Amino acid sequence: LAALGAQSAHAEYPDHAITIVVPFAAGGPTDKVARDFAEALRKPLGNQAIVIENVGGAGGTLGATKVSKAAPDGYTLLLHHIGMATSPALYRNLAYKTLDDFEYLGLINEVPMTLIGRSTLPATNYAELAKWLSANKGKINLANAGLGSASHLCGLLFQQSLKEDMTTVPYKGTAPAMTDLLGGQVDIMCDQTTNTTSQIESGKVKAFAVTTPARLPGALLSKLPTLDEAGLKGFNVTIWHGLYAPKGTPKAVVDKLNAALKTALKDPEFHKREEALGAVVVTDNRTNAADHKKWVEAEINKWGPAIKAAGQYAD
Ligand code: MLT
């Protein structure tokens, strides 16, 4: 009877608003993905309200820690990105174990990054930017969203490829970083197309390259060279976003959330919003919980050594 009782209790799930914690400031790329995704996730969950809570700081680890310690009842979830795989190499005393303290609910999308700069930079393409960077060694301000953020990872590898140390200016997300870039307070930043496309289109920032192996589609972004073709051979950073719950969330709830994620990823409205921002919705087996977890484990093993090797550039 108890098992039946437990089962039926979960059959009612969700019977009140669900909170999705975004571990970066509102208005940034992670927040954008979360709000778009929540809109699609509500439908298969009986149109239950989904509240986005922004918990920025420390490259996303503060928000992730909060969710790792939340009640495992399915009402506090985490939407995070590649930082789930880079933070273990960067934070010696991380307050959670990435592979043990979360239930994996599926991978959502993959987002390219762009290398952008303040509009007053005296460079109009990547070659001129590279010359300006080497002529101004030690005076460059590179913005990011903190140790472990996607923007930090890309900036770290960019500095390592150029063999140039820059002053990194961390923010609680790339939305506040973008504000300072627009104001000319910082020089360059790597950020996801979800945050940069509109700024590039408006001419308020200069775009120099993309971080993906292949050029991006679309009239505007396709003009940007990849960093690989611009000379940084093998440069390849693509940001992915996944959904997580605290470890111990009942399996019936995990299964219901994973099924709802798969339905949401097929939502044509969601696809349209993602495509408009250069993001690619995941359609392979990484939408399964087990394969999502395997993916994160592989990414931890991939980025760990690269981050440790680049350690001298970490801010
Ligand atoms: C990052 O740079 O890690 C995040 O994209 C920043 C953000 O979402 O604000």
Side-chain angles (χ1 to χ4, degrees), residues 97-102 104 247 293-294 296-297 300:
K97 290 202 176 351
T98 305
L99 297 173
D100 301 340
D101 293 343
F102 295 95
Y104 285 64
K247 186 75 180 171
K293 185 168 183 175
K294 276 199 206 99
V296 174
E297 185 167 14
I300 290 173

Side-chain angles (χ1 to χ4, degrees), residues 3 6 12 18 35 75 77 109 114 165 170 218 298:
E12 292 313 305
I18 294 169
R35 291 176 197 278
Y75 289 101
L77 307 178
N109 68 5
T114 46
D165 234 351

